[in-house]
Amino acid sequence: MPHPAHDGDRGSVAYRTLGVTKVYPTGETEVHALRGVDLEIPDGEFVVLLGASGSGKSTLLNILGGLDRPTEGRVFFRDAELTRMNDTALTGFRREHVGFIFQFYNLIPSLTARENVALVTDIANDPMPAEDALGMVGLAERIDHFPSQLSGGEQQRVAVARAVAKRPDVLLCDEPTGALDSATGITVLEALESVNRELGTTTLVITHNSGIAAMADRTIVFADGAILEVRVNEEKRPARELQW
Ligand SMILES: Nc1ncnc2c1ncn2[C@@H]1O[C@H](COP(=O)(O)OP(=O)(O)O)[C@@H](O)[C@H]1O
Ligand SMILES: [Mg+2]
């Protein structure tokens, strides 16, 4: 797949969606998970997506990441329209441009932190060394540890290193702190903050924890499959100062 036409300067738009809907057929009824989402995410921003359980956050994230397709509407990443791509192109988009982080880390237990990250860098175009990715998330001292020798927060930071080692343009994080206590969750958010600052990776973090919005450039509040409110944050707080 060709590279996108430009390199994500600030001021340009990473994602744009127009009238995105998602309907799941479930037996006799239908679930309207997304009801016409119009969205713009500027390149390089750290965006928090807030909303109650069932409001459609994960559905939207999966569509932005090319894991799923909308029922109707259009999705653009920079100059490329995801909703016009065939499955092969969409897989290529995902591989080349998107890093995912989920609530559960899915590390391979028999591999060290370095080896878990190297699994991804072995197949990427222009990866960073696994050591560098682990250093960026504060795990330089832990590279030869196995997952069972790491805390939950450290394991999630390995997952962050694994996602960023291929230098994705966007990082899509679905409740990355959902399984962690607040102090540990903050160490994971600090890792995401470092990646966003040092690599300029556009970052979207789903949470139902409104305290996390304080560190975001922009907060999108979701309710019942639609955007309720977009707030631009003029005075971001560092992750280490967050509380919830
Ligand atoms: N694969 C699916 N099949 C049927 N319904 C689904 C599916 N995935 C999600 N839903 C429904 O779509 C709505 C939005 O879900 P989701 O995007 O997971 O919300 P959130 O991430 O905000 O909790 C919910 O009502 C959920 O039950
Ligand atoms: Mg969800």
Side-chain angles (χ1 to χ4, degrees):
M1 185 186 165
H3 272 281
H6 55 86
D7 279 334
D9 309 313
R10 285 206 181 246
S12 60
V13 174
Y15 279 112
R16 175 178 287 121
T17 74
L18 295 171
V20 166
T21 71
K22 181 72 178 182
V23 182
Y24 292 108
T26 53
E28 292 111 72
T29 57
E30 294 179 326
V31 176
H32 290 257
L34 298 175
R35 304 169 182 265
V37 175
D38 299 320
L39 175 73
E40 250 186 38
I41 297 181
D43 237 317
E45 281 202 1
F46 192 106
V47 177
V48 162
L49 184 54
L50 280 178
S53 178
S55 59
K57 305 182 297 296
S58 295
T59 300
L60 179 65
L61 183 119
N62 291 342
I63 289 171
L64 295 177
L67 287 170
D68 198 1
R69 293 177 182 276
T71 308
E72 280 180 64
R74 303 176 75 183
V75 179
F76 297 86
F77 177 74
R78 297 186 183 155
D79 297 327
E81 182 172 357
L82 272 53
T83 33
R84 291 179 67 97
M85 292 181 185
N86 64 24
D87 287 351
T88 309
L90 199 59
T91 301
F93 163 76
R94 206 166 61 222
R95 287 223 183 106
E96 195 171 336
H97 298 290
V98 187
F100 290 98
I101 295 159
F102 298 103
Q103 183 171 347
F104 300 103
Y105 337 119
N106 292 314
L107 302 178
I108 297 182
S110 60
L111 299 180
T112 64
R114 184 209 310 264
E115 291 164 344
N116 267 282
V117 175
L119 271 188
V120 173
T121 57
D122 284 348
I123 57 168
N125 275 336
D126 173 31
M128 67 177 80
E131 293 77 12
D132 293 3
L134 286 160
M136 196 177 299
V137 299
L139 290 178
E141 315 293 304
R142 298 271 192 281
I143 52 179
D144 293 318
H145 287 53
F146 290 93
S148 62
Q149 299 172 311
L150 298 171
S151 70
E154 289 170 336
Q155 291 182 57
Q156 185 64 303
R157 283 187 278 150
V158 175
V160 173
R162 180 181 57 186
V164 302
K166 66 174 183 180
R167 304 181 195 276
D169 294 305
V170 290
L171 205 48
L172 302 179
C173 315
D174 196 345
E175 312 229 16
T177 62
L180 303 172
D181 63 73
S182 67
T184 310
I186 283 167
T187 66
V188 171
L189 295 169
E190 288 184 273
L192 295 174
E193 184 179 59
S194 301
V195 169
N196 175 249
R197 189 182 52 235
E198 290 172 32
L199 301 180
T201 313
T202 306
T203 303
L204 187 60
V205 177
I206 288 183
T207 176
H208 47 250
N209 188 338
S210 57
I212 296 176
M215 71 178 286
D217 292 299
R218 181 180 305 256
T219 302
I220 299 170
V221 184
F222 232 67
D224 200 19
I227 294 174
L228 194 64
E229 187 190 0
V230 177
R231 294 197 295 261
V232 174
N233 190 0
E234 302 294 352
E235 292 182 43
K236 303 205 269 187
R237 303 245 313 270
R240 73 184 138 74
E241 291 178 11
L242 299 183
Q243 283 180 330
W244 68 81

